[in-house]
Amino acid sequence: MVALDGSADGRKLTIRLRDSVLFERGGAELTPSAMDLISRLGGVLRDIGMRVAVSGHTDNTPIKSAAYRSNWYLSTARSTAVIEYMIEHDAFPPQLLSASGNADNMPIVPNDTPENRARNRRVEFVITDEGAIELPNASAPASTAESTEAASVAVETPAAAPADEVAP
């Protein structure tokens, strides 16, 4: 469900959430439990003033939906739903957020089994200190290592536990 991945230089942290944690199958509307998880994660990320790039990913199965013309549309709608929620409900500074959709073009595993396709359907939060800002009433950490520790706290909630990959 949740995976953490840090860069070797300590300047980037990726939090990876399976789509099933956030959305109904084939949809881009956040579930109530997703809203709670995004609010907890967003609160920690907002307070450290780091840049967060949210990207949506799908598997290679073409979507069959009147709402989404392709996996490009679905993956982009999902990342957009996440950042809009963070801005509207968590007072996240919009200048620190970006959304992108990657469809099935950046798989983390081959799309050769149902389990692997499920792993590829995900939303990633890539947190970097590039373009970080100092927020009023919040002290930004001195290093990305400190922010990584803060982000890990957000994921250690009852909804999810940090791990390389936690099966649903």
Side-chain angles (χ1 to χ4, degrees):
M1 283 199 222
V2 176
L4 295 175
D5 183 25
S7 65
D9 65 2
R11 297 193 55 153
K12 179 172 84 169
L13 173 70
T14 300
I15 300 172
R16 187 175 296 128
L17 302 175
R18 284 195 181 180
D19 73 328
S20 60
V21 173
L22 303 174
F23 308 101
E24 296 294 326
R25 180 78 184 236
E29 186 175 323
L30 292 168
T31 65
S33 60
M35 292 175 193
D36 181 53
L37 179 60
I38 298 295
S39 285
R40 287 185 278 154
L41 180 60
V44 171
L45 297 176
R46 175 196 61 227
D47 292 343
I48 61 175
M50 299 279 202
R51 183 163 305 283
V52 180
V54 179
S55 60
H57 301 265
T58 66
D59 62 23
N60 65 345
T61 306
I63 187 147
K64 296 174 183 157
S65 164
Y68 305 105
R69 204 167 82 188
S70 69
N71 282 335
W72 284 105
Y73 283 85
L74 176 61
S75 61
T76 303
R78 287 178 166 185
S79 62
T80 301
V82 169
I83 68 163
E84 285 180 341
Y85 188 85
M86 292 170 74
I87 293 166
E88 294 169 10
H89 297 278
D90 301 324
F92 207 101
Q95 68 270 31
L96 290 178
L97 292 170
S98 64
S100 65
N102 296 294
D104 62 321
N105 292 295
M106 298 178 73
I108 53 175
V109 293
N111 279 302
D112 55 1
T113 66
E115 294 79 19
N116 281 355
R117 283 189 289 279
R119 288 183 67 194
N120 286 328
R121 293 188 304 267
R122 66 197 188 278
V123 172
E124 293 182 342
F125 297 76
V126 179
I127 301 108
T128 63
D129 59 4
E130 189 175 309
I133 62 171
E134 195 154 329
L135 299 171
N137 301 325
S139 58
S143 71
T144 305
E146 291 175 31
S147 63
T148 301
E149 185 177 311
S152 294
V153 170
V155 181
E156 289 181 34
T157 62
D164 286 343
E165 185 71 34
V166 179

